[in-house]
Amino acid sequence: MSKINKNILQKGFSIISTAKSMAELYEANFKQVSKYVHATSRGHEAIQVALGMQLLPQDYAYPYYRDDAMLLSFGVKPEQLMLQLLAKKDDPFSAGRTYYSHPSLKDADKPKIPHQSSATGMQAIPATGAAMGMKYIEQQGLTNTHVAVSDMELAKKRPITVCSLGDASVTEGEVAEAFQMAALKQLPILFLVQDNGWDISANAAETRAQNAYEYAKGFHGLEAISIDGANFTTCYETLEAVINTMRTERRPFLVHARVPLLNHHTSGVRMEWYRDDLEEAKTRDPYPVIKSQLVDNGFTAEAIAALEQAAKKTVQKDFETALQASDPQPEDLFTHDFAPTPITQEQGERAPEGAEKVVMVDCALFAVEELMKTHKECLLYGQDVGGRLGGVFREAATLAQKFGDERVFNTAIQEAFIVGSTVGMSAVGLKPIVEVQFADYIWPGLNQLFTEVSRSCYLSNGKWPVSMILRVPIGAYGSGGPYHSSSVESVLTNIRGIKIAYPSNGADLKGLMKAAYYDPNPVVILEHKGLYWSKVPGAQGATSVEPAEDYMLPFGKAWVLQEIWKQEHMETLTIVTYGMGVHWAMNASEELGLQDCIEIIDLRTLYPLDEDTVMASVKKTGKCLVVTEEPSSNSFAGALAGKIQEVCFKQLDAPVMVIGSENMPAIPLNATLEKTMIPSTEKVKNKITALLNY
């Protein structure tokens, strides 16, 4: 008989009773609550509560959609959960924007819960990023949590990260990336895997070669434990030992908890439709187990019944209150897509007197160096950016030597981890600058960019914006071939909730990099490889005098690079472009001798987009050509052309035209084929002539 502390046992039972009562109330009032899909913790309560009771306010937790009992153990009230269940305006997590038990919490007296998506397993990478950030903060001495391990009292207060997962999600490739990095870097993260034997209707025998405990054994340095997750005292005591070890030794654990699923997968997928093991599952119910443990520890039947009745009364009262709460209003849709940025005006010296002219890649390098010198919370990582190489384009050269291997380091070939870890890094107060080596390799990272990075601010109702910079070398640069030459901006501009820069010269790149650092939102900077050293013919204009350290260029401000007056007796034209297109446009205009009748706009940022500058120019000139390096079909450029046509229709003297690459699946390696595919100064000249003569 376990002699667990009676107060712990009583508190655990009260929370488990509350969670059980909530599940029963939802089922009894199914027609009222079934408008929005929900899942409950029924069967999983013991392990969730045993963990939640032991976390501290400085800890970070990533619960999953079945963890409502865990949330109760953090101190979240049933009414607060029900406000989310019913998608009410005062839902404290998302203001009615996301599902039940999809929390985001930043209360001072509770563990911190950054936003995470509903995609199973996707939370593992952001959670591991948070643990990686914790370790970095301790290494750098950025907070008073950096203490000697020998100082046991202080060490036991050091934060940990908890990532909660269903066993089915462990089959995800991104979970493997998280396990790999947690084990490699010995991060203070606990992966709690709740194994109920089911995905939705697919069971473990159909979908898994091994359970999570067995799987974790392959990750050297990740200690794995398997326990009966339906036994509260076993769970509490096991987790107590694990958590104490993690707070002092700072290494990762995986706890595999075997639990029954005693309720529906979700309210929308009923258990009776597919389950054939319900009777067996009921024999492993954690509720009678903890009641028996109460009796063994001296609680009377009357005392236990009183705790049960108190839980039911609270749940019923909170439900009635939540039902009466207000729904969001239509105008509430339009808040917290981004956090406000302090950089709204151009500032600092763009061209300091006596400064040298430098290539574009060096402007970016110097910007990052200046930021890292000033801000210890700034760090840089990605593939091959570490000390041996400093980036395949030398865009991180010397940084590891100057700032150390803890601040500038290589990652594995894990684009998902590189992108998604920034969510956790940002949550613990860091500012990561990360790099995907080529735009062609961004695809594995899109899941994290879309589900975790871009939606965090909006779906947390502004609590958890993700402050990060993602650098992406992009574009064709001379026989790079099909896997090193792609343009991907149309995909990125369809992800709402991120900002996107695409500079055409070094000064803009440095100014935008600095603005991006101080912006609390996620920023993608597309850096054209052909402009890095201006080695591509016609790209000499990408070099520039290096701006001063204080120079910043706000997002959403286009540059009228070549401005003209309104002409009454001459055909005029606006060219709207960005990146390499700026140089094709400028060269074409000069070679045609038409600088007086062509206005050229460099967008500089694709989101936010400076529509006012574009539309004012087109209304003045009456004709418009959008120049892009991407294939033009279904592109950002095509969408922009359509918007210009809509807004400026009455002032147009010709259709808005687009010139881009040929609409082929990839850029071929052969130089002749590449030249045939992508735009050039000559092709832009021909398009200008055709449009002016229209």
Side-chain angles (χ1 to χ4, degrees):
M1 181 178 71
S2 174
K3 283 295 180 182
I4 189 171
N5 180 286
K6 291 180 71 170
N7 291 332
I8 290 172
L9 192 60
Q10 178 176 323
K11 182 178 179 182
F13 179 69
S14 293
I15 298 169
I16 289 172
S17 292
T18 301
K20 179 173 178 287
S21 296
M22 288 165 61
E24 291 169 348
L25 180 140
Y26 298 164
E27 193 65 14
N29 295 273
F30 183 74
K31 288 188 177 180
Q32 278 182 289
V33 303
S34 63
K35 181 177 181 181
Y36 304 114
V37 172
H38 65 271
T40 72
S41 59
R42 190 70 187 94
H44 294 227
E45 303 99 323
I47 184 67
Q48 291 182 19
V49 175
L51 173 64
M53 286 176 60
Q54 300 187 62
L55 296 187
L56 303 174
Q58 59 264 39
D59 295 329
Y60 279 69
Y62 290 76
Y64 87 120
Y65 59 82
R66 201 174 298 285
D67 280 342
D68 58 1
M70 187 186 296
L71 296 174
L72 291 171
S73 68
F74 290 168
V76 176
K77 304 301 182 188
E79 181 188 344
Q80 294 174 298
L81 287 167
M82 292 166 181
L83 289 169
Q84 188 175 52
L85 173 79
L86 301 168
K88 297 294 187 176
K89 180 182 176 71
D90 292 332
D91 152 30
F93 306 129
S94 73
R97 292 175 176 180
T98 195
Y99 303 101
Y100 179 72
S101 200
H102 284 59
S104 55
L105 201 62
K106 218 171 186 178
D107 292 357
D109 62 341
K110 299 180 183 68
K112 306 302 174 280
I113 309 177
H115 166 266
Q116 61 186 4
S117 75
S118 190
T120 54
M122 298 307 98
Q123 71 271 37
I125 286 177
T128 306
M132 190 162 73
M134 286 177 179
K135 183 169 183 176
Y136 174 80
I137 287 168
E138 291 173 19
Q139 287 173 332
Q140 299 294 316
L142 296 182
T143 73
N144 59 10
T145 61
H146 182 65
V147 294
V149 173
S150 59
D151 190 344
M152 295 302 290
E153 286 308 307
L154 286 174
K156 286 180 180 178
K157 295 179 181 178
R158 288 195 294 192
I160 64 169
T161 299
V162 171
C163 177
S164 180
L165 298 155
D167 195 63
S169 71
V170 178
T171 61
E172 287 275 1
E174 293 188 10
V175 174
E177 293 190 18
F179 287 0
Q180 175 77 19
M181 291 300 286
L184 175 69
K185 293 190 173 290
Q186 289 295 282
L187 303 177
I189 184 168
L190 167 59
F191 297 102
L192 172 64
V193 180
Q194 301 173 55
D195 184 0
N196 60 37
W198 290 92
D199 294 18
I200 297 180
S201 66
N203 62 30
E206 295 174 80
T207 58
R208 298 168 229 169
Q210 66 280 306
N211 66 34
Y213 167 73
E214 295 161 338
Y215 181 52
K217 292 287 189 180
F219 294 89
H220 294 225
L222 174 60
E223 185 171 341
I225 300 168
S226 187
I227 61 172
D228 177 4
N231 186 311
F232 178 77
T233 58
T234 297
C235 292
Y236 194 94
E237 290 165 353
T238 302
L239 289 168
E240 184 176 40
V242 167
I243 290 170
N244 285 340
T245 300
M246 290 179 62
R247 292 200 194 281
T248 54
E249 297 182 17
R250 314 309 275 157
R251 60 189 177 92
F253 278 79
L254 181 142
V255 173
H256 170 251
R258 304 179 302 277
V259 294
L261 178 60
L262 300 179
N263 208 337
H264 313 289
H265 169 72
T266 67
S267 57
V269 183
R270 313 289 288 175
M271 57 187 172
E272 57 269 15
W273 294 350
Y274 62 93
R275 294 284 296 278
D276 55 9
D277 66 338
L278 288 171
E279 291 307 312
E280 186 276 333
K282 289 175 185 176
T283 67
R284 296 185 288 124
D285 188 341
Y287 196 72
V289 176
I290 192 172
K291 287 182 75 171
S292 175
Q293 290 168 347
L294 285 165
V295 172
D296 291 344
N297 281 273
F299 287 82
T300 65
E302 292 77 15
I304 294 170
L307 292 171
E308 289 177 310
Q309 287 305 310
K312 288 181 180 178
K313 184 177 179 182
T314 296
V315 167
Q316 183 63 43
K317 175 178 172 291
D318 283 7
F319 182 59
E320 291 167 4
T321 301
L323 285 172
Q324 300 305 312
S326 299
D327 287 323
Q329 296 300 303
E331 58 269 22
D332 295 328
L333 174 69
F334 301 101
T335 59
H336 300 301
D337 51 344
F338 291 100
T341 178
I343 310 303
T344 57
Q345 299 293 328
E346 187 172 3
Q347 53 191 269
E349 285 191 89
R350 182 179 175 91
E353 188 175 343
E356 293 184 4
K357 206 168 189 181
V358 296
V359 294
M360 188 169 171
V361 72
D362 283 347
C363 277
L365 174 64
F366 299 151
V368 174
E369 181 177 343
E370 290 165 0
L371 288 167
M372 295 190 77
K373 183 177 63 178
T374 307
H375 303 284
K376 216 169 181 182
E377 66 273 18
C378 176
L379 65 169
L380 172 71
Y381 57 95
Q383 295 166 30
D384 298 305
V385 301
R388 288 192 193 90
L389 187 60
V392 295
F393 300 104
R394 305 295 288 156
E395 71 282 1
T398 73
L399 293 180
Q401 289 82 0
K402 290 176 179 175
F403 299 105
D405 293 335
E406 293 82 22
R407 294 188 69 188
V408 181
F409 58 89
N410 294 327
T411 64
I413 303 172
Q414 295 181 344
E415 286 81 9
F417 186 86
I418 292 167
V419 174
S421 60
T422 65
V423 181
M425 283 280 203
S426 173
V428 299
L430 301 176
K431 180 75 179 197
I433 302 174
V434 297
E435 181 183 307
V436 170
Q437 200 166 78
F438 289 87
D440 309 72
Y441 302 158
I442 200 172
W443 311 116
L446 284 185
N447 196 359
Q448 289 290 322
L449 191 63
F450 179 76
T451 61
E452 309 300 331
V453 175
S454 72
R455 296 178 164 195
S456 183
C457 186
Y458 187 68
L459 291 181
S460 69
N461 204 34
K463 290 190 294 296
W464 295 102
V466 177
S467 187
M468 59 86 86
I469 298 173
L470 171 59
R471 298 180 65 184
V472 183
I474 192 170
Y477 61 114
S479 297
Y483 305 111
H484 298 82
S485 307
S486 295
S487 294
V488 300
E489 59 265 30
S490 291
V491 174
L492 297 177
T493 52
N494 271 284
I495 299 176
R496 324 299 175 190
I498 60 175
K499 297 184 178 182
I500 304 167
Y502 200 150
S504 66
N505 61 82
D508 283 356
L509 177 53
K510 185 173 184 181
L512 289 166
M513 183 82 74
K514 290 292 184 74
Y517 184 84
Y518 296 106
D519 195 316
N521 301 288
V523 174
V524 178
I525 301 184
L526 302 175
E527 304 175 20
H528 199 290
K529 301 185 294 290
L531 301 179
Y532 264 159
W533 298 284
S534 295
K535 287 184 177 179
V536 172
Q540 292 78 13
T543 61
S544 53
V545 171
E546 187 200 350
E549 186 168 345
D550 64 350
Y551 181 65
M552 283 185 274
L553 186 61
F555 277 59
K557 303 290 186 183
W559 183 16
V560 184
L561 186 57
Q562 182 168 287
E563 189 172 8
I564 64 171
W565 297 104
K566 182 175 178 61
Q567 303 289 335
E568 298 296 342
H569 307 293
M570 184 189 306
E571 292 294 315
T572 55
L573 167 69
T574 296
I575 297 180
V576 181
T577 186
Y578 53 92
M580 184 64 81
V582 171
H583 302 278
W584 292 325
M586 289 293 288
N587 295 337
S589 170
E590 182 180 356
E591 289 181 20
L592 289 169
L594 295 175
Q595 296 96 321
D596 292 337
C597 58
I598 298 177
E599 187 149 288
I600 299 175
I601 296 176
D602 181 354
L603 291 176
R604 301 202 283 203
T605 65
L606 308 187
Y607 195 89
L609 182 67
D610 188 354
E611 289 190 14
D612 290 345
T613 296
V614 171
M615 302 309 172
S617 176
V618 176
K619 288 178 180 179
K620 175 174 65 177
T621 65
K623 292 182 178 179
C624 181
L625 174 63
V626 181
V627 179
T628 179
E629 188 172 322
E630 278 195 302
S632 55
S633 292
N634 305 311
S635 65
F636 164 78
L640 177 56
K643 181 72 172 179
I644 293 169
Q645 196 127 296
E646 178 185 340
V647 173
C648 303
F649 184 76
K650 290 182 179 179
Q651 290 83 17
L652 287 172
D653 296 324
V656 177
M657 295 186 181
V658 178
I659 181 169
S661 290
E662 300 296 335
N663 293 296
M664 304 307 293
I667 297 178
L669 182 63
N670 177 270
T672 300
L673 296 177
E674 180 190 66
K675 183 178 179 181
T676 304
M677 181 163 177
I678 65 174
S680 64
T681 296
E682 196 62 32
K683 291 178 183 179
V684 173
K685 282 166 59 177
N686 293 337
K687 200 72 172 180
I688 289 171
T689 301
L691 186 50
L692 286 174
N693 291 331
Y694 185 87

